[in-house]
Amino acid sequence: HVKERGRSDFRFYQRQMNIGLLSRMKLDHAMRQALEHHRFRLHYQPQINLSTGEIFGVEALLRWNDKDLGEIGPAQFIPIAEETGVIVPIGNWVMQTAISQAAQWNRAGYSLRMGFNVSALQFQQANFVESIAATLEEHQLSPDKIELELTESVLIRDVEENLKKLESLAKLGVKLSIDDFGTGYSSLSYLKRFPIHKLKIDRSFIDELPTDESDVAIVTAIIHLAHAMKLQVIAEGVETEEQKNFLLNMHCDEFQGYLFSPAISASEFEEKFL
Ligand code: C2E
Ligand code: MG
Ligand code: MG
Ligand code: MG
């Protein structure tokens, strides 16, 4: 079934526009228009506790269906949004939408944690912590119901300033995770200094489990490192039973991946899982 999955991925990407040839300015304009005209959506990918099988949370992932360009994946437009700075208003929209959705689900009696991605430039905004706190307050959502996914690149810039922000967020009760762990600069010293709660093992290390010996070694080491530092650990991009069983045997805490579900719309998530 791995092969089939590969083929459906291929079809998915075929449907996506190749935006590589468009100028940065054109794309920046298109993203601003999309924001104004509500062409962005969030999809939600379930996150599962490996030992209980329960869905304890979701990751919000940005989707963009442009009226001229068609469906464009975040891996294509996020890097450009970061370069032009439009990631700041986009990220703000993501934060507000994710918190509002999380509040709605939790009010309805579903205890779910909402993870969402935060870009370096967004995190660096002077009012970042205040805007998170204000949005939680506005929606009456408990701070421990959200989890900010930060990449290593966020953590290595302006270390002193960022440390203060992370400490304020942690003090508020917001959960913090390191996304794509192992692919960035991987300075392990920040694990000691920063109030991080969880490591997310990058999909590239999961892909060839359990046959690739290096991946086996890396994933095992990350799980042990996380637990030794009293952190939770989640594996991203789990597509097969074999991968899931390997992670279960290694005492990984949680997973997300196509094996369980891709990211889906809020209504689809409700229909299927709530
Ligand atoms: P990420 O945060 O590491 O998100 C996980 C990516 O892996 C998502 O891709 C998800 O759809 C994909 N994925 C999950 N399970 C599987 C699996 O089993 N197999 C495969 N092949 N893929 C899987 P997506 O949605 O295309 O997002 C790509 C990246 O774009 C994200 O990586 C994140 O870095 C960025 N991104 C997405 N939404 C946002 C956002 O709202 N804000 C920011 N700043 N970045 C975002
Ligand atoms: Mg993420
Ligand atoms: Mg990731
Ligand atoms: Mg990634």
Side-chain angles (χ1 to χ4, degrees):
H1 55 292
V2 178
K3 252 201 190 120
E4 276 164 37
R5 193 79 73 184
R7 269 198 273 126
S8 64
D9 264 12
F10 178 66
R11 274 200 300 274
F12 173 71
Y13 286 110
Q14 247 187 344
R15 265 192 274 115
Q16 293 196 350
M17 168 90 188
N18 181 358
I19 59 165
L21 297 175
L22 293 173
S23 76
R24 198 165 304 171
M25 253 177 67
K26 269 215 167 93
L27 274 169
D28 180 71
H29 179 72
M31 286 187 272
R32 288 180 199 279
Q33 288 292 310
L35 202 51
E36 193 178 323
H37 296 108
H38 313 289
R39 308 277 317 188
F40 286 113
R41 296 136 23 244
L42 287 183
H43 275 188
Y44 303 91
Q45 185 176 34
Q47 298 179 318
I48 293 91
N49 182 308
L50 264 165
S51 53
T52 66
E54 269 177 338
I55 300 177
F56 68 91
V58 294
E59 175 176 4
L61 292 158
L62 195 54
R63 297 292 178 259
W64 175 20
N65 188 274
D66 188 78
K67 75 175 185 353
D68 302 316
L69 306 172
E71 190 72 33
I72 308 170
Q76 291 191 78
F77 67 83
I78 296 278
I80 294 155
E82 284 171 340
E83 281 178 42
T84 70
V86 71
I87 192 64
V88 174
I90 292 176
N92 198 42
W93 178 85
V94 168
M95 184 265 286
Q96 302 211 10
T97 308
I99 288 178
S100 162
Q101 183 62 72
Q104 206 176 304
W105 281 333
N106 280 282
R107 258 199 314 277
Y110 306 107
S111 177
L112 286 172
R113 180 177 293 160
M114 175 69 70
F116 56 91
N117 298 283
V118 175
S119 279
L121 193 63
Q122 187 188 357
F123 188 78
Q124 280 163 352
Q125 301 300 298
N127 64 352
F128 181 74
V129 177
E130 289 73 16
S131 67
I132 295 267
T135 309
L136 287 168
E137 182 69 30
E138 182 193 335
H139 293 279
Q140 291 293 296
L141 182 67
S142 170
D144 65 359
K145 291 294 181 203
I146 64 166
E147 179 174 311
L148 308 191
E149 298 195 1
L150 308 161
T151 54
E152 290 162 301
S153 66
V154 175
L155 302 175
I156 57 160
R157 295 193 208 177
D158 299 319
V159 173
E160 292 312 317
E161 195 53 38
N162 287 351
L163 181 58
K164 274 189 228 152
K165 285 185 180 169
L166 292 170
E167 279 170 347
S168 313
L169 288 164
K171 210 167 148 203
L172 207 70
V174 170
K175 301 296 174 194
L176 303 168
S177 63
I178 301 183
D179 205 351
D180 306 338
F181 186 76
T183 61
Y185 291 84
S186 301
S187 156
L188 296 178
S189 64
Y190 60 63
L191 287 185
K192 205 168 86 175
R193 296 185 61 203
F194 291 173
I196 296 297
H197 299 95
K198 190 181 289 183
L199 304 184
K200 299 197 74 177
I201 307 175
D202 192 67
R203 178 152 63 84
S204 60
F205 301 122
I206 305 299
D207 229 18
E208 288 170 60
L209 287 182
T211 44
D212 186 285
E213 281 178 35
S214 306
D215 288 340
V216 166
I218 291 169
V219 169
T220 307
I222 295 175
I223 295 169
H224 287 161
L225 172 69
H227 288 161
M229 310 248 355
K230 306 218 165 25
L231 304 175
Q232 300 273 101
V233 58
I234 183 167
E236 297 191 300
V238 176
E239 296 187 351
T240 69
E241 283 295 337
E242 291 76 14
Q243 292 165 351
K244 184 183 137 185
N245 290 334
F246 174 86
L247 293 161
L248 191 59
N249 285 336
M250 289 300 152
H251 304 289
C252 186
D253 302 297
E254 304 161 350
F255 80 99
Q256 67 185 88
Y258 294 171
L259 176 65
F260 190 84
S261 171
I264 52 183
S265 70
S267 56
E268 210 179 329
F269 180 78
E270 287 166 7
E271 240 165 69
K272 276 190 156 160
F273 300 119
L274 299 186

